[in-house]
Amino acid sequence: MLKTTRKGNWMEIITPNNWAGKTIEEIFREEWEVPKKLTHQLRMEHTVFVNGNKANWTKPLENGDKVLMKLFEEMVPLITLDFFYDLQVLYEDDHVIVINKPPNMSTHPNDESDKSTLLHAAQFYVQSKGENVTIRQVHRLDKDTTGAILFAKHAVSGAILDRMLEKHEIKRTYLAIVDGHIKKKKGKIIEPIGRDRHHATRRRVSTSGQAAATHYQVIKEEKGHSYVKCWLETGRTHQIRVHLSHLGHPLLGDTLYGGKPLFKRQALHAAKLEFKHPITSETIICYAPFIDTPPIFKGIDIYNI
């Protein structure tokens, strides 16, 4: 695991054995797979120093070299910073933060009038701690879905995580409660998802839609409904909701897709998030406790799903 130390807007790394012989260019392009445009920008802005001098990006590093990278840029006030919410933080360090998203809150603003989103609350949270950085969401959850959601604290970690998400290297495990009992207790739903031309926000299984794959496993059955664990290969809008409804078992509370209105929201919770840390390569596993009041999910241990 790579050890880093934050010093103001800079990150210090003492070159480890596995970096020795590699250039700064190779670190950014091959180790971290940072996009070419961002790598070029960092290079032109002289944001990397080695042993106190501007880095030669093509010179191999030696074991023990002191590398300084200016990763923590000053905050750009893209959103207002006046929305406080008592967030439940599941994991945090200098580079990333994972938050347990509450229900009835959008992940990000859809227009200028929306100033009470999770992004606003998370930005306020880090700013109140004295971290003058601009955070970035890596993925999103529907407004009424709860659970673990990942944010990056600087452009490099954000770019690395975006690439990991695109390559399906960030594993997200959800828990849903669906209507009825699914005949096949474990399987994979492979159906393309597209917009429903008859409804502004609804999606549907469509031959002209985007490829989508959802794994599922029934973990508990009760009278009239089932608890289902789901994990995704793709991240289409409303994917789990659409796929399970297509299977004939819509989520309870999800009236948009035919679910019974037993709850005030669809019974969907992002229970577990697993990813390789974008900078240190450490494996991070976060479990998100249920936070509904009154509770929706009962008798489930999220640490064993």
Side-chain angles (χ1 to χ4, degrees), residues 100-117:
N100 193 5
K101 178 187 170 299
N104 306 311
M105 181 184 289
S106 297
T107 299
H108 57 82
N110 293 311
D111 55 60
E112 293 183 358
S113 65
D114 194 356
K115 299 180 180 180
S116 56
T117 70

Side-chain angles (χ1 to χ4, degrees), residues 210-229:
Q210 294 178 299
T214 303
H215 296 264
Y216 74 89
Q217 180 181 353
V218 176
I219 61 173
K220 179 182 177 182
E221 291 182 331
E222 294 182 346
K223 185 177 180 180
H225 59 269
S226 306
Y227 286 74
V228 183
K229 178 173 72 172

Side-chain angles (χ1 to χ4, degrees), residues 15-27 30-31 50 56-65 67:
T15 300
N17 291 331
N18 63 315
W19 276 23
K22 297 181 179 179
T23 66
I24 297 295
E25 184 83 25
E26 289 171 334
I27 297 299
E30 298 174 13
E31 289 287 316
V50 177
N56 180 338
W57 280 60
T58 59
K59 181 181 178 181
L61 294 169
E62 297 181 8
N63 190 28
D65 280 347
V67 180

Side-chain angles (χ1 to χ4, degrees), residues 135 172 212:
I135 63 171
R172 294 166 287 169

Side-chain angles (χ1 to χ4, degrees), residues 43-242:
R43 184 172 183 169
M44 292 299 99
E45 293 177 354
H46 304 295
T47 57
V48 181
F49 282 69
V50 177
N51 297 327
N53 301 309
K54 290 180 182 178
N56 180 338
W57 280 60
T58 59
K59 181 181 178 181
L61 294 169
E62 297 181 8
N63 190 28
D65 280 347
K66 182 184 293 184
V67 180
L68 280 174
M69 299 180 180
K70 191 176 183 181
L71 299 183
F72 308 98
E73 73 276 23
E74 294 294 321
M75 187 192 70
V76 180
L78 300 176
I79 58 176
T80 57
L81 293 176
D82 56 0
F83 178 59
F84 169 79
Y85 191 93
D86 190 13
L87 296 173
Q88 185 178 73
V89 177
L90 305 176
Y91 176 85
E92 182 181 11
D93 61 21
D94 291 331
H95 311 283
V96 300
I97 180 171
V98 181
I99 296 170
N100 193 5
K101 178 187 170 299
N104 306 311
M105 181 184 289
S106 297
T107 299
H108 57 82
N110 293 311
D111 55 60
E112 293 183 358
S113 65
D114 194 356
K115 299 180 180 180
S116 56
T117 70
L118 186 64
L119 181 62
H120 286 86
Q123 185 67 72
F124 184 95
Y125 166 79
V126 297
Q127 186 76 4
S128 67
K129 294 174 59 193
E131 295 186 51
N132 196 26
V133 297
T134 301
I135 63 171
R136 301 154 172 82
Q137 68 183 62
V138 177
H139 59 107
R140 63 181 293 275
L141 294 175
D142 294 338
K143 183 176 182 178
D144 291 337
T145 300
T146 54
I149 186 166
L150 175 60
F151 292 88
K153 286 188 174 182
H154 55 79
V156 172
S157 62
I160 296 171
L161 289 167
D162 285 344
R163 183 262 305 164
M164 291 168 60
L165 187 69
E166 186 177 336
K167 295 172 68 174
H168 315 304
E169 293 174 353
I170 298 176
K171 185 175 180 181
R172 294 166 287 169
T173 304
Y174 295 78
L175 185 64
I177 309 176
V178 303
D179 187 31
H181 294 167
I182 302 175
K183 185 175 181 180
K184 188 179 178 181
K185 304 307 179 187
K186 185 176 182 180
K188 180 178 179 181
I189 306 169
I190 307 175
E191 296 287 353
I193 294 176
R195 291 183 177 274
D196 187 333
R197 62 178 180 274
H198 301 297
H199 195 285
T201 58
R202 192 164 52 202
R203 300 297 193 272
R204 66 185 180 89
V205 168
S206 169
T207 55
S208 61
Q210 294 178 299
T214 303
H215 296 264
Y216 74 89
Q217 180 181 353
V218 176
I219 61 173
K220 179 182 177 182
E221 291 182 331
E222 294 182 346
K223 185 177 180 180
H225 59 269
S226 306
Y227 286 74
V228 183
K229 178 173 72 172
C230 304
W231 58 102
L232 307 176
E233 286 188 15
T234 53
R236 309 305 177 199
T237 300
H238 298 179
Q239 179 172 322
I240 292 174
R241 299 165 65 187
V242 172

